[in-house]
């Protein structure tokens, strides 16, 4: 890691006062200087792609679906996006940057194309929309040059293999915890599936036919939600002709995770001026998870909200989709904050005036990709502007301009897309964490209570924020005299956790996750500076790598084998041994951190003493300590694989094959405007062990709307925006619910006619495991499908 790139060697290390001189960068063949044989340069990317294809094939993904998806990404995302990005940026830098930013730009253009074609009612010609970009770029001479730009900087093979390695590892992880465990659809019997996935599938199906989206589980109900993810899924189906279930359960997640890792590496390189900050940031953003000493992971509580990004990649599709958009937004805003200062040779040239257009595009897409992304970015920019104003005593007009763009987009999203829905979030300072220091009987002294509060906050920082520790030496070395980009990254890293600590509700944890990309970019920056100052020899670098892998393996084995023993020991030492204290669940992680800190202190003293005898150890202990701290969360990935192989994830419910078969029959025999009615409203963990049970807190049946891609009069209403904001469980239209139930259990000709005429219900879908239908229904409606468990009746 001492050499940041084959064309930007170790001399590119910069001091706090400014960049050092670097030799003129070598260019690709297009500019007259060879950058290496093309086959070798593309081998890392090809290898990562083949690994991804391999895990998909191992998960029984059809080769035809993989080929169609590859074709769709190339035609519907990469081609238009890369051309537009090249037209907006000033000068080329690296090919991988053009393709990574181009892919994200393509996701934005995809949204715009969907909106235009759906609003115009011409979705049948949607597959041709990339021609709206390709044709002008082929016909206009000034745009034609963007098909084959010249002047790329060649990335080193080491850098390329490092980034490709992160993609390969992420693909393997997703195979182990997601792809191999969950079938696309159950063929017979039943499958165990995370309860949210059919709901998310229903939104994608809705996006194929409605502009804007509606709430599929209550026909006609508006959907004030971050729904851009499901437009992407719908476009993949409509343009790529790939079944939505295949897109969701196989193709989309690993592809977007791969894009997240690549765009992270690209943005880190651009903002820090250090090529190797890219792979470090990519590792930190996905491959390093929460720090804890618990196994199995207590996912029923999730301790401090949502788990780390890797654990949510397949369960929260909106988070997965939003990550590359957010990181690209950070990249273009950060580039604008760098201004027009002179760039060292090999450093990324400024994007130019197009950076403001890119900011608007990425902000717009981020706004309703995940509602937590843009507020954290706005806060980060405001923090950067304040610090620059204090430091220079001049108004930072670039910040003002960027702020105007982000503020306008945030206002548009809040007012138009979300209609000021709060989804149950309320301003309650420390509402998410105060249960850990609760003392309802007042048995603690003021000092003891203050200590418990402080340790709770320390546990929170350790759990989610330990991977940001690389930012500390960077901030310390600059004595808080940082440039605007660094203030921006620091602001985002602080804003995410701060919002979580101020706003109450589980969804507030996504603000923490939105702050992670900011923090890991700054952390990678700081780590690279520490690494460069250490000036390790090749042998020392090898020893550092081996030592890091050994430390990670040892920590993983220790948590896996001795987590229970450790928890028992810590609870006896600091608790009453029962684990009944409010803070008991935090003690294993706090105790592990204290133990590791003590070990580090002892080793530090020994290192310092050894440095008197071995000069080669001097001034190098810091990089060893920082490496260990950053990788302390690495066991999470491995332990999650182990846990997943032994048990189902929390929130997994049964998905019977008969339900999916019936829903797909309805999809094949109905039009998008048809509405369905059903008696299935509850989720089931044991396939309706209590037939006919009335839903109270689990109105989470989404299979019919999900796999039929049709709206249902009343299905599972738990995720309705209006109920989420009201924090209620009851369906809001009881007469409609009674009408729906009577159609199944007490039907009359007049009632069924009303259902058809007034509510446009064409099919009545009955799950007999919930409760059998009335015998009268066969004489009042036409039976059209019956697989024993699920019956379908047509109304006319």
């Amino acid at each position: 890691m001492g050499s940041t790139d084959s064309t930007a060697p170790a001399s590119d290390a910069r001091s706090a006062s400014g960049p050092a001189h670097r030799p003129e960068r070598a260019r690709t063949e297009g500019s007259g200087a060879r950058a290496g044989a093309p086959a070798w340069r593309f081998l890392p990317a090809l290898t990562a792609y083949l690994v991804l294809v391999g895990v998909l094939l191992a998960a029984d993904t059809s080769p035809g679906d993989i080929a169609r998806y590859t074709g769709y990404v190339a035609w519907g995302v990469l081609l238009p996006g890369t051309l537009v990005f090249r037209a907006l940026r000033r000068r080329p830098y690296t090919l991988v940057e053009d393709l990574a930013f181009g892919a994200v730009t393509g996701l934005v253009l995809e949204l715009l194309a969907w909106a235009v074609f759906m609003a115009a009612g011409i979705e049948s010609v949607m597959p041709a929309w990339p021609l709206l970009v390709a044709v002008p770029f082929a016909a206009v001479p000034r745009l034609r040059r963007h098909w084959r730009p010249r002047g790329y900087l060649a990335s080193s093979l080491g850098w390329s293999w490092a980034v490709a390695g992160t993609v390969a590892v992420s693909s393997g992880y997703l195979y182990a915890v997601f792809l191999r465990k969950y079938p696309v659809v159950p063929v017979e019997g039943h499958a165990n599936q995370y309860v949210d996935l059919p709901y998310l599938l229903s939104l994608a199906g809705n996006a194929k036919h409605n502009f804007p989206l509606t709430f599929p589980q209550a026909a006609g109900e508006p959907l004030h939600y971050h729904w851009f993810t499901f437009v992407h899924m719908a476009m993949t189906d409509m343009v790529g002709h790939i079944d939505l279930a295949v897109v969701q359960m196989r193709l989309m997640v690993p592809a977007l995770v791969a894009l997240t890792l690549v765009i992270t590496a690209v943005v880190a390189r651009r903002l820090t001026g250090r090529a190797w900050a890219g792979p470090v940031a990519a590792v930190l953003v996905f491959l390093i998870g929460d720090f804890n000493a618990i196994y199995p992971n207590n996912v029923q509580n999730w301790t401090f909200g949502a788990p780390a990004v890797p654990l949510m990649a397949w369960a929260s599709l909106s988070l997965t989709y939003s990550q590359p958009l957010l990181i690209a937004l950070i990249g273009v805003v950060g580039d604008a904050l760098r201004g027009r200062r002179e760039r060292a040779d090999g450093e990324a040239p400024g994007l130019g005036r197009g950076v403001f257009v890119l900011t608007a595009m990425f902000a717009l897409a981020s706004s309703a990709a995940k509602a937590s992304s843009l507020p954290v970015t706005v806060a980060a920019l405001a923090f950067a502007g304040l610090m620059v104003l204090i430091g220079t005593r001049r108004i930072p007009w670039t910040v003002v301009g960027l702020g105007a763009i982000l503020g306008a987009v945030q206002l548009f999203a809040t007012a138009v897309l979300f209609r000021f829905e709060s989804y149950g979030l309320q301003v309650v300072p420390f509402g998410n964490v105060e249960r850990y220091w609760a003392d309802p009987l007042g048995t603690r002294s003021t000092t003891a209570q203050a200590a418990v509060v402080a340790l709770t906050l320390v546990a929170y920082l350790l759990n989610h924020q330990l991977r940001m520790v690389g930012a500390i030496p960077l901030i310390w070395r600059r004595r808080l005299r940082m440039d605007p980009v660094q203030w921006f990254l620091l602001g985002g890293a602080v804003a995410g956790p701060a919002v979580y600590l101020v706003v109450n509700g589980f969804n507030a944890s996504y603000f923490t996750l939105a702050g992670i990309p900011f923090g890991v970019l700054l952390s990678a920056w700081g780590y690279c500076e520490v690494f460069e100052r250490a000036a390790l020899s090749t042998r020392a670098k090898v020893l550092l790598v081996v030592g890091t892998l050994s430390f990670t393996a040892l920590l993983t084995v220790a948590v896996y084998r001795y987590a229970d023993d450790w928890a028992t020991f810590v609870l006896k030492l600091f608790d009453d041994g029962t684990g009944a204290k409010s803070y008991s669940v935090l003690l294993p992680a706090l105790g592990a951190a204290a133990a590791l800190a003590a070990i580090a202190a002892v080793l530090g003293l020994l290192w310092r003493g050894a440095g008197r005898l071995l000069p080669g150890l001097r001034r190098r202990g810091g990089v060893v300590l920082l490496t260990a701290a950053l990788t302390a969360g690495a066991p999470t990935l491995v332990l999650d694989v182990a846990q997943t192989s032994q048990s189902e994830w929390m929130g997994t419910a049964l998905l019977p094959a008969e339900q999916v078969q019936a829903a797909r029959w309805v999809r094949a025999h109905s039009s998008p405007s048809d509405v369905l009615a059903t008696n299935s409203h509850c989720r089931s963990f044991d396939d309706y062990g209590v037939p006919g049970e009335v839903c109270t807190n689990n109105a989470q049946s989404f299979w019919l709307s999900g796999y039929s891609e049709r709206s249902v009069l009343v299905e599972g209403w738990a995720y309705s925006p209006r109920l989420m904001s009201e924090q209620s469980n009851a369906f809001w239209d009881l007469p409609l619910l009674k009408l729906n139930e009577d159609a199944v259990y007490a039907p009359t000709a007049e009632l069924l006619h009303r259902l058809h005429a007034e509510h446009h219900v064409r099919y009545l879908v009955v799950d007999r495991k919930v409760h059998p239908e009335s015998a009268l229904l066969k004489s009042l409606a036409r039976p059209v499908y019956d697989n024993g468990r699920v019956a379908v009746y047509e109304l006319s």
Side-chain angles (χ1 to χ4, degrees), residues 28 41-42 82 85-86 89 92-102 149 151-155 266 269:
T28 58
R41 287 191 290 111
F42 291 106
T82 301
F85 175 73
R86 285 171 174 170
R89 58 110 169 98
Y93 181 45
T94 64
L95 176 60
V96 67
E97 178 177 88
D98 271 9
L99 294 177
F101 271 110
Y152 281 134
L153 173 70
S155 297
V266 163
R269 180 175 186 171

Side-chain angles (χ1 to χ4, degrees), residues 32-296:
R34 290 188 63 83
W40 289 108
R41 287 191 290 111
F42 291 106
L43 185 57
L46 178 61
T47 301
Y49 172 75
L50 291 177
V51 170
L52 182 54
V53 170
V55 301
L56 290 174
L57 290 173
D60 295 324
T61 312
S62 162
D65 284 335
I66 296 173
R68 280 189 291 272
Y69 188 72
T70 301
Y72 170 71
V73 169
W75 169 248
V77 179
L78 265 180
L79 174 66
T82 301
L83 290 174
V84 170
F85 175 73
R86 285 171 174 170
L88 290 173
R89 58 110 169 98
R90 178 181 294 163
R91 285 193 290 143
Y93 181 45
T94 64
L95 176 60
V96 67
E97 178 177 88
D98 271 9
L99 294 177
F101 271 110
V104 181
T105 305
L107 293 178
V108 181
L109 297 176
E110 178 186 63
L111 288 170
L112 299 176
W114 172 85
V116 170
F117 279 65
M118 291 292 290
I122 53 174
E123 55 268 28
S124 60
V125 296
M126 195 84 78
W129 85 261
L131 292 175
L132 296 176
V133 175
V135 171
F137 274 80
V140 179
R142 291 188 62 183
L143 296 177
R144 199 177 299 147
R145 61 188 174 89
H146 294 301
W147 288 93
R148 294 189 65 185
R150 297 173 179 268
Y152 281 134
L153 173 70
S155 297
S156 71
L157 282 177
W159 187 92
S160 299
W161 278 114
V163 176
T166 64
V167 173
V169 172
S170 72
S171 299
Y173 165 79
L174 290 171
Y175 171 77
V177 302
F178 175 50
L179 299 175
R180 73 177 176 88
K181 282 187 67 71
Y182 302 100
V184 174
V185 294
V187 177
E188 58 183 19
H190 64 266
N192 293 313
Q193 190 179 81
Y194 185 57
V195 68
D196 284 6
L197 292 178
Y199 170 68
L200 303 179
L201 188 66
S202 75
L203 298 183
N206 194 271
K208 289 174 58 178
H209 311 297
N210 291 286
F211 173 78
L213 273 65
T214 58
F215 184 64
Q217 289 75 37
E221 179 77 3
L223 183 71
H224 305 141
Y225 185 66
H226 43 245
W227 44 262
F228 285 1
T229 308
F230 314 106
V231 171
H232 169 66
M233 294 172 63
M235 288 290 282
T236 306
D237 180 314
M238 298 163 72
V239 178
H241 302 291
I242 307 170
D243 189 277
L244 277 180
V246 178
V247 174
Q248 180 190 61
M249 301 300 294
R250 289 296 179 267
L251 303 170
M252 171 183 169
V253 172
L256 286 176
V257 168
L259 176 58
T260 297
L261 295 172
V262 176
I263 192 67
T264 299
V266 163
V267 168
R269 180 175 186 171
R270 169 168 283 276
L271 296 187
T272 69
R274 291 166 169 80
W276 277 99
V280 172
V283 167
L284 293 177
V285 81
F286 189 87
L287 303 185
I288 304 295
D290 299 342
F291 174 81
N292 57 59
I294 301 173
Y295 183 82

Side-chain angles (χ1 to χ4, degrees), residues 612-625:
R612 298 174 182 174
L613 301 175
L614 301 172
L617 297 180
R618 295 175 187 171
R619 302 178 64 84
R620 291 177 172 86
V623 71
V624 175
L625 176 62

Side-chain angles (χ1 to χ4, degrees), residues 311-330:
L311 305 186
M312 294 299 291
W314 59 269
S316 176
L317 300 184
S318 55
L319 177 67
T320 306
Y321 174 77
S322 70
Q323 287 288 296
L325 291 165
L326 173 59
I327 294 165
L329 177 60
I330 294 171

